[in-house]
Amino acid sequence: MDEIDSTNDEARRLIETGERGPLWIVAARQTKGRGRLGREWISRPGNFYASFVFGEFSEVRVAPELGFVTGVAAMRALRALAGHGAFQLKWPNDLLLDGAKLGGILLECMNASTAPVAIIGVGVNLVDAPRDTPYPARALSEALPAPSREAFFAHFSDAMAETLELWNGGEGFAQIRQEWLASAAGLGQDITVVLSHEKLDGRFETIDASGRLVLETTGGRRTIEAGDVLIGPRATGGALA
């Protein structure tokens, strides 16, 4: 599509009419793009905006694993295109380049009829990054010649097909988890995790078998299902959607 309010919103509308995927929705521009917790996603021209509708799994409990599947696919695609670059994954949903935000993943799940359907939204700063954001953002074009949206999509969609096959409805999540951890930003380091009602400091130990962040704090080990991770000197700042 040339323009849409939000690729995730379009996916939601299609699911309501019976769509279960697998289906990609790709837009050149979004007028109401959004990230986690309803935050605005600034949709600059030339960047990548897409949502993937996927209903080939049977249990809602495994749906959160698809965010990690997508992150691994994005790393594969970026490295295949760039051949180099300090690409990392920041729990739970960010793509990083040299420690700055390159993109993000927004995972939502709907119950259609009697089976769940996932919507996986992905935005990547290929040619331009927003300024004046709480968390530094960067575009791929600042580090190397940026691929076109079409070239990135070709690599990314192929990588998603590969990682979804590896995941196999949740049976292969252990392998996805290991590949995700190999690209994890802040692993083994002191980080800050901002929750809805508290802020935790501790060492990022791992993610568990369900993808939850395991944080070793002075008060003991905490297992975290959702939150904003702040790494390094930026841990005193905010977090970007």
Side-chain angles (χ1 to χ4, degrees):
M1 298 179 171
D2 288 333
E3 182 177 290
I4 191 69
D5 51 354
S6 159
T7 57
N8 266 36
D9 287 344
E10 177 66 9
R12 183 175 292 273
R13 290 189 288 265
L14 290 173
I15 291 169
E16 288 172 348
T17 65
E19 181 64 62
R20 289 189 53 82
L23 174 72
W24 281 101
I25 302 162
V26 184
R29 181 172 179 267
Q30 297 183 116
T31 58
K32 295 181 180 179
R34 54 190 169 83
R36 290 178 62 239
L37 306 176
R39 297 165 178 157
E40 179 185 9
W41 184 273
I42 300 170
S43 301
R44 293 178 178 269
N47 292 338
F48 179 77
Y49 313 108
S51 294
F52 185 55
V53 177
F54 185 70
E56 296 182 1
F57 60 101
S58 58
E59 298 183 70
V60 174
R61 66 175 181 82
V62 303
E65 297 175 2
L66 287 165
F68 299 94
V69 171
T70 307
V72 169
M75 290 294 101
R76 290 187 180 190
L78 287 164
R79 288 168 180 153
L81 281 163
H84 65 284
F87 299 110
Q88 289 183 298
L89 293 161
K90 183 165 76 72
W91 188 91
N93 70 327
D94 286 352
L95 316 176
L96 304 183
L97 172 59
D98 293 328
K101 181 153 180 171
L102 178 67
I105 299 163
L106 175 62
L107 175 65
E108 300 177 305
C109 192
M110 293 180 62
N111 282 316
S113 301
T114 58
V117 182
I119 303 170
I120 308 168
V122 181
V124 181
N125 301 327
L126 296 179
V127 301
D128 196 12
R131 306 290 185 264
D132 301 322
T133 54
Y135 193 96
R138 192 171 184 191
L140 193 60
S141 61
E142 297 173 39
L144 49 99
S148 65
R149 286 194 307 271
E150 293 77 12
F152 177 77
F153 178 55
H155 280 78
F156 181 45
S157 57
D158 284 351
M160 274 292 287
E162 294 168 359
T163 55
L164 283 168
E165 183 177 1
L166 180 63
W167 178 65
N168 190 25
E171 292 184 13
F173 183 65
Q175 294 169 277
I176 293 293
R177 174 181 173 272
Q178 287 302 316
E179 191 167 343
W180 190 96
L181 284 168
S183 295
L187 186 65
Q189 300 175 18
D190 291 334
I191 64 172
T192 296
V193 184
V194 181
L195 308 178
S196 57
H197 299 296
E198 63 178 325
K199 182 185 290 188
L200 297 173
D201 296 315
R203 185 172 296 275
F204 179 10
E205 293 292 335
T206 189
I207 60 172
D208 70 8
S210 300
R212 298 175 299 180
L213 186 145
V214 179
L215 189 73
E216 189 65 45
T217 73
T218 55
R221 178 171 289 189
R222 294 282 298 269
T223 301
I224 300 165
E225 293 191 1
D228 285 321
V229 169
L230 308 177
I231 301 170
R234 289 187 290 272
T236 56
L240 184 66

